[in-house]
Amino acid sequence: TGDPGPGALPPIIAAVGITDFTQGQTSVVRIDGSTGISLSGSLMGHPLNFFELAEGGYTALQGVHAMADPGVYPMTIQGSLPDGTSFGFTQSVRVYAGEFLYDVPLNVAAETIDPEVTGPENELWANLTTPATTPRQWEGIFSLPADPPYADCITSRFGSRRSYNGSEYIYFHTGLDYCNGSGSSVYAAAPGKVVFANGLDVRGCTILIDHGWGVYTAYMHLQDDDAGDRVTGECSGIGILVNEGEQVESGQLIGITGGTGRVEGPHLHFELLVGGVQVNPLQWLAQEYP
């Protein structure tokens, strides 16, 4: 993959590089070319947002859905050159199957799997995590959101297939669950701007941080006044230590763990989204992007 074929690109673009596209992982599209090129694209129903790199060239980061069907998909890239000339091409890319576990069946409050509840909340979540803002605010790998020893204790991994209340395994786990119970510290994984800090029925008391370029981290099921395992549409703020619009730094204390939302017990759910798609946070905790 990654070779668009001879003659498909204008000479001003030297090369196109594409990492593997695998369920639940972050993919990188790199275009080497002169400055002043305007670029856009699409893949699997998501826009590709290109940004110019300081060292030259352009890159787009895009997550691949953990339950996307493996197979071949068209990736389109179009743009305009500094002189206004337009160009475009389509490249077939293969999406590979990931390797995922199956969690034991979970029993949760019935309303937290009710489509009348989950549908509007997921729509809100998509709207919050779609914008690809500038500038990029992170450098290097992301930091752990929890203190040791909890940072080494993951009770459910990203992408694990899930059954709720006796359902088929039609759900998947959208992040990492850390076994730090209630009352533990939660830290920002990278610099960014808080774009949501409130309660949701499924996600509970939640913080969402925009790190730029379409990359977001989320911290869910945080503590409320009673620190109980209950559905909540509003949060008192006891477990949320930052405000919407606030700028935070990597490692900054931002919240306290609890058991709000769709949970069986208190813990921290840590989520990372790229291009509007949840991806495996372990990638970002181990390697540098882009």
Side-chain angles (χ1 to χ4, degrees):
T1 61
D3 180 5
L9 292 169
I12 197 172
I13 295 179
V16 176
I18 305 173
T19 62
D20 283 343
F21 291 93
T22 302
Q23 290 174 325
Q25 295 189 11
T26 301
S27 296
V28 182
V29 180
R30 172 72 182 261
I31 294 181
D32 294 329
S34 302
T35 60
I37 301 174
S38 175
L39 291 165
S40 62
S42 64
L43 175 68
M44 303 177 70
H46 297 279
L48 291 175
N49 299 295
F50 285 92
F51 297 93
E52 191 166 355
L53 297 166
E55 63 271 24
Y58 305 81
T59 193
L61 302 173
Q62 182 58 51
V64 179
H65 198 280
M67 298 189 81
D69 290 331
V72 177
Y73 294 82
M75 179 184 70
T76 63
I77 296 177
Q78 56 271 335
S80 60
L81 304 180
D83 64 2
T85 302
S86 298
F87 68 91
F89 74 100
T90 299
Q91 167 68 38
S92 294
V93 297
R94 181 173 294 279
V95 171
Y96 296 92
E99 296 182 359
F100 303 107
L101 303 173
Y102 281 76
D103 285 346
V104 298
L106 301 174
N107 294 307
V108 297
E111 56 265 43
T112 63
I113 57 172
D114 182 347
E116 292 189 3
V117 173
T118 60
E121 183 170 319
N122 289 337
E123 183 178 358
L124 169 65
W125 200 244
N127 290 335
L128 287 169
T129 58
T130 295
T133 62
T134 55
R136 182 182 84 172
Q137 299 202 42
W138 80 91
E139 292 287 344
I141 63 173
F142 281 27
S143 62
L144 292 167
D147 282 320
Y150 307 121
D152 299 319
C153 180
I154 297 174
T155 58
S156 180
R157 293 185 175 272
F158 171 84
S160 295
R161 284 15 184 174
R162 283 190 162 183
S163 163
Y164 291 116
N165 298 354
S167 73
E168 298 295 323
Y169 277 86
I170 57 175
Y171 302 93
F172 78 100
H173 191 217
T174 58
L176 298 175
D177 282 351
Y178 289 95
C179 59
N180 44 356
S182 184
S184 300
S185 298
V186 176
Y187 305 99
K193 179 181 178 181
V194 178
V195 293
F196 185 86
N198 208 331
L200 295 167
D201 291 328
V202 177
R203 293 163 175 85
C205 297
T206 295
I207 297 169
L208 178 66
I209 300 175
D210 177 8
H211 304 286
W213 286 20
V215 177
Y216 294 80
T217 55
Y219 313 78
M220 302 178 189
H221 311 313
L222 303 178
Q223 193 176 104
D224 205 354
D225 268 342
D226 58 7
D229 300 346
R230 66 181 182 85
V231 178
T232 175
E234 293 290 337
C235 286
S236 65
I238 191 171
I240 296 178
L241 307 181
V242 290
N243 299 309
E244 291 179 15
E246 182 176 342
Q247 186 72 24
V248 297
E249 298 303 321
S250 180
Q252 179 177 331
L253 177 65
I254 59 172
I256 304 296
T257 57
T260 54
R262 186 170 68 193
V263 297
E264 283 193 321
H267 66 278
L268 170 64
H269 173 98
F270 175 54
E271 189 165 301
L272 201 151
L273 302 99
V274 180
V277 177
Q278 291 100 341
V279 297
N280 191 346
L282 290 176
Q283 282 189 292
W284 287 73
L285 295 173
Q287 67 185 83
E288 182 177 350
Y289 287 91

